Amino acid sequence: AVEEEDAEEAALAQMLAAYRGVWVFVEQTEGEPAKVSWELMGVGAQLARDIGTELCAIVIGHGVEHLCREAFSYGATKAYLMDQDVFRFYRTEPYLDACCHLIDKYKPEIILMGATGMGRDLAGAVATRVKTGLTADCTGLDVDDKRNLRQTRPAFGGNIMATIMCDKFRPQMATVRPHVMPMPERMEGATGAIVREQITLNEADILTKVIEIIRDTKVGVDIAGAEFIVSGGRGLMGPENFAMLQELADELGGVVGASRSAVDAGWMPHDRQVGQTGKTVRPKIYIACGISGAIQHLVGMQDSDVVIAINRDKEAPIFQVATYGIVGDLFKIVPAITSQLREL
Ligand code: FAD
């Protein structure tokens, strides 16, 4: 039995050793990259340094070679390029085939994708096909001394942070939401190697067809990219009071966000929700008004540069992550700040 165990361990060690490299999937739509891909390059470069391997980009699309060069400027030293007409629009099946072709041939140790609609879809499909684990929506990534990826994410409704490892399978796969990882510095003119790969795909075998693309013409508010956010929670008491937050946001050149309670109550649209089931934000200033600071809200905003909390309950957990805390009635404090700013 001991011999059998030793043989199993040796086989596992041999399998693990066959996989090398940290890969980042460069998400793009019509050649336009998703910013989260570059954010992942930052954390990917750190992981690659820690385990002494190379950082590579996976670029799949049509007319997307420029994204390889862009990936080099964010730290990749190699890019696997699959540039074919069949990849013009994202569809699960061809992208899945492309990724699995690359994985089979080059055996990456770690694959990171953005937790976007595309990344979530593709990562799940790839992990299923190559029979490995996938940790979705990670908020922290690092490696242990055995090259295992420690993938940290909120669990049980955000009540605990779980660290998940996939120590007996390769590649190790994780998705990370946009704005969770800091954007790395761009190194103008950095170069790397482009590895071109092709696969034969028969259009008739692909079940999904793109018939028409209807662009979203609604001018939405991008809270995820905003530098100043004034957010309101249940303490606002009703939708009409969000106008007061809008006035403050206008003075700052920012936008209005909301807690889930405010969104569930129908006071604000869902695209303004900050938190675990909303958006992750990293503004320069986040002003939380009448928000208690439940963990599910905090995971979406705690990496803001400055957090200002206004709450009449001095025990509210939001004060634990606040840079500045104001204990008092928001209906007095918010208009006072707005009028002070107007006088500047
Ligand atoms: P409350 O917790 O009710 O807090 C209201 C606060 O307003 C209180 O602290 C009160 O003291 C203060 N207040 C009241 N009146 C005034 C006043 N006049 N002046 C000053 N302060 C005042 N929540 C999110 O926000 N985002 C998410 O993405 C999210 N995802 C979730 C996912 C799951 C799986 C679960 C289970 C929950 C999730 N939640 C999320 C809900 C979260 O647990 C909390 O219920 C929610 O964040 C509370 O919203 P709130 O702070 O606005 O309301």
Side-chain angles (χ1 to χ4, degrees), residues 5 50 100 102 112-113 153 182 197 201 215 219 225 274 328 341:
E5 259 176 41
D50 289 348
C100 291
L102 293 175
L112 306 178
M113 295 193 190
R153 55 152 296 153
E197 285 287 332
L201 282 174
R215 287 176 210 284
V219 186
V274 174
L341 285 172

Side-chain angles (χ1 to χ4, degrees), residues 8-228:
E8 261 175 41
E9 234 169 73
L12 177 64
Q14 199 181 357
M15 183 280 284
L16 297 183
Y19 287 79
R20 285 292 179 261
V22 176
W23 287 13
V24 171
F25 172 69
V26 178
E27 175 173 336
Q28 55 83 28
T29 309
E30 294 174 59
E32 202 43 53
K35 221 173 123 220
V36 64
S37 311
W38 311 140
E39 293 166 6
L40 293 180
M41 287 284 173
V43 64
Q46 183 61 48
L47 297 171
R49 268 195 298 277
D50 289 348
I51 54 178
T53 190
E54 59 182 347
L55 175 66
C56 308
I58 322 171
V59 179
I60 304 171
H62 186 60
V64 289
E65 190 168 327
H66 62 287
L67 296 176
C68 299
R69 287 187 290 278
E70 198 63 13
F72 299 148
S73 70
Y74 284 107
T77 50
K78 191 183 278 173
Y80 293 100
L81 173 65
M82 300 199 67
D83 198 321
Q84 292 173 236
D85 193 31
V86 69
F87 303 130
R88 182 181 295 270
F89 302 110
Y90 175 72
R91 292 176 291 171
T92 314
E93 307 134 285
Y95 273 62
L96 171 62
D97 287 348
C99 281
C100 291
H101 166 78
L102 293 175
I103 294 169
D104 282 349
K105 191 160 172 187
Y106 297 103
K107 301 196 174 349
E109 209 165 351
I110 293 172
I111 304 179
L112 306 178
M113 295 193 190
T116 56
M118 190 192 295
R120 285 183 166 140
D121 181 57
L122 183 60
V126 170
T128 307
R129 185 174 297 170
V130 302
K131 296 194 173 54
T132 190
L134 165 68
T135 307
D137 283 351
C138 296
T139 52
L141 294 171
D142 64 355
V143 277
D144 72 5
D145 54 3
K146 294 201 174 94
R147 309 174 78 93
N148 291 315
L149 183 63
R150 282 194 293 239
Q151 307 158 79
T152 304
R153 55 152 296 153
F156 292 107
N159 290 310
I160 60 161
M161 295 303 279
T163 297
I164 298 164
M165 305 220 292
C166 174
D167 53 357
K168 293 196 171 54
F169 298 90
R170 290 292 183 270
Q172 307 168 87
M173 293 187 63
T175 62
V176 178
R177 281 197 202 191
H179 303 285
V180 169
M181 299 295 169
M183 187 76 177
E185 291 247 338
R186 200 171 178 283
M187 295 168 291
E188 203 64 58
T191 56
I194 299 179
V195 179
R196 287 164 219 276
E197 285 287 332
Q198 294 256 320
I199 46 172
T200 314
L201 282 174
N202 188 352
E203 190 60 56
D205 296 336
I206 302 171
L207 297 176
T208 323
K209 310 274 175 239
V210 177
I211 295 165
E212 190 187 358
I213 293 183
I214 300 165
R215 287 176 210 284
D216 185 1
T217 50
K218 192 179 87 200
V219 186
V221 172
D222 176 23
I223 62 163
E227 293 202 331
F228 300 96

Side-chain angles (χ1 to χ4, degrees), residues 328-342:
D329 183 2
L330 70 93
F331 291 98
K332 289 190 185 133
I333 295 159
V334 174
I337 300 175
T338 310
S339 74
Q340 285 281 315
L341 285 172
R342 282 190 184 136

Side-chain angles (χ1 to χ4, degrees), residues 257-269:
S259 73
R260 176 160 159 182
S261 299
V263 170
D264 284 353
W267 301 348
M268 288 299 276

Side-chain angles (χ1 to χ4, degrees), residues 156-159 177 232-237 258-264 267 270 273-279 286 288-300 310-318 326-333:
F156 292 107
N159 290 310
R177 281 197 202 191
R234 213 198 303 264
L236 263 287
M237 309 297 287
S259 73
R260 176 160 159 182
S261 299
V263 170
D264 284 353
W267 301 348
H270 184 259
Q273 184 178 317
V274 174
Q276 189 186 323
T277 40
K279 302 252 171 71
Y286 186 86
C289 310
I291 293 177
S292 58
I295 182 71
Q296 298 89 352
H297 188 81
L298 300 186
V299 293
I310 306 170
N311 198 304
R312 65 179 177 196
D313 172 10
K314 68 174 177 14
E315 306 291 340
I318 190 78
I326 307 171
V327 179
D329 183 2
L330 70 93
F331 291 98
K332 289 190 185 133
I333 295 159

